[in-house]
Amino acid sequence: FGFTLTQPTVVTYAVFGAIATGMALPYILVGLFPGLVRFLPKPGAWMATFKELLGFVMLGTVAYLFTFLQHDWFVPTFVMLVGIWMACWWVGRAQEASGTVGFGRWVQAALIATAVGTAAFLLLGPVKSLIEWEQPFSRARLAELRKSGATVMVDFSADWCPTCKFNLATAIETNRVKAAIEKNRVVPMLADWTDGSPEIKQMLESLESKSIPVLAIFPAAKPGESPPPPIVLRDLITESQVLAALARAGPSCCPPPPIRAAALPTR
């Protein structure tokens, strides 16, 4: 959707037309070739089980939405409760089927709850940022840094943006990128668009972007010269692209002014 906002009308219709055709394709094929019906799963009790399992997928979506709340251990606790819920459901299915619950079933339920709860606190708890990001973002601060001769890397991100988080974990918050930032004295800035910001929106529009994620690297301005244009990486990016952009931007010309560092959880 973000991609189509910057494309001509014909491209927008082509993209969404392709998506609609892909989603409707199974029905079109079965309509054209009715014999394909024999390959479809037969209705039965498995459908009720499948429906209940999808309920836990929906609960996973709820857990994802809760990540927007600023409470470090809220989401892991909620996911742990979902794991206990799943264990109880597993026991209940056995009781419904045979009227009794064997010891093995209780062991399986305990393992389910333990596995989900452990994974929740290991993977969804607060994680200290690998890079010390300067925030909050302001265009005045960016201008000050560039005027001082600093190379600045700005990550336009938001808590509700899964692609932003994926970029952060796999392409930006890495040891190689951190080393390149420190070696070249690059100032990393976080433009957090979670709650909306007219200033960040204006900055994105000046970069010819209407959606996130966007990673913009502003090369240092040499004395007496106008600042070079920023290097902009949009949407899904790789670590190699970030490293190449940093190398292209070059190091800061002089030590930047003191920054206001703040840790950003990677998950």
Side-chain angles (χ1 to χ4, degrees), residues 143-193:
E144 176 190 3
L145 289 168
R146 299 198 73 188
K147 186 177 180 180
S148 71
T151 298
V152 185
M153 181 180 76
V154 183
D155 181 28
F156 294 86
S157 179
D159 286 343
W160 41 259
C161 172
T163 310
C164 301
K165 292 181 178 295
F166 183 81
N167 282 349
L168 189 68
T170 63
I172 303 173
E173 288 260 348
T174 68
N175 291 322
R176 294 178 64 193
V177 171
K178 179 184 179 182
I181 289 174
E182 294 175 348
K183 177 182 178 181
N184 296 322
R185 305 187 305 280
V186 176
V187 179
M189 295 187 72
L190 174 67
D192 188 355
W193 208 20

Side-chain angles (χ1 to χ4, degrees), residues 9-263:
T9 302
V10 64
V11 175
T12 301
Y13 273 95
V15 168
F16 285 103
I19 294 173
T21 302
M23 296 179 69
L25 191 59
Y27 299 96
I28 296 173
L29 291 176
V30 171
L32 293 174
F33 308 100
L36 294 176
V37 171
R38 68 178 183 272
F39 294 104
L40 298 179
K42 300 296 185 292
W46 68 269
M47 296 177 68
T49 302
F50 185 66
K51 178 186 70 175
E52 293 168 357
L53 287 173
L54 289 181
F56 290 105
V57 177
M58 294 295 292
L59 288 171
T61 304
V62 175
Y64 168 71
L65 294 174
F66 279 159
T67 60
F68 306 155
L69 301 178
Q70 300 301 314
H71 298 282
D72 290 343
W73 298 108
F74 184 94
V75 174
T77 303
F78 175 78
V79 174
M80 180 188 67
L81 293 175
V82 172
I84 296 173
W85 186 350
M86 186 179 295
C88 293
W89 168 78
W90 186 242
V91 170
R93 281 186 54 81
Q95 188 174 29
E96 182 181 356
S98 61
T100 60
V101 181
F103 177 75
R105 196 74 164 192
W106 283 108
V107 172
Q108 293 171 4
L111 289 175
I112 291 173
T114 302
V116 173
T118 302
F121 280 92
L122 287 177
L123 302 177
L124 301 177
V127 179
K128 185 178 180 181
S129 176
L130 190 64
I131 297 173
E132 291 187 345
W133 297 91
E134 178 176 352
Q135 56 176 316
F137 170 84
S138 72
R139 301 183 75 173
R141 176 59 175 167
L142 175 61
E144 176 190 3
L145 289 168
R146 299 198 73 188
K147 186 177 180 180
S148 71
T151 298
V152 185
M153 181 180 76
V154 183
D155 181 28
F156 294 86
S157 179
D159 286 343
W160 41 259
C161 172
T163 310
C164 301
K165 292 181 178 295
F166 183 81
N167 282 349
L168 189 68
T170 63
I172 303 173
E173 288 260 348
T174 68
N175 291 322
R176 294 178 64 193
V177 171
K178 179 184 179 182
I181 289 174
E182 294 175 348
K183 177 182 178 181
N184 296 322
R185 305 187 305 280
V186 176
V187 179
M189 295 187 72
L190 174 67
D192 188 355
W193 208 20
T194 300
D195 298 323
S197 166
E199 186 171 26
I200 292 178
K201 181 180 179 182
Q202 292 173 4
M203 189 68 204
L204 283 169
E205 290 175 347
S206 71
L207 297 173
E208 299 181 354
S209 294
K210 295 183 179 180
S211 62
I212 54 175
V214 170
L215 185 70
I217 301 176
F218 297 83
K222 296 180 180 180
E225 298 182 6
S226 58
I231 303 168
V232 183
L233 303 177
R234 296 179 175 85
D235 304 320
L236 196 63
I237 60 177
T238 63
E239 181 189 53
S240 60
Q241 288 178 311
V242 177
L243 292 172
L246 288 170
R248 178 182 166 192
S252 297
C253 297
C254 57
I259 65 173
R260 302 176 294 275

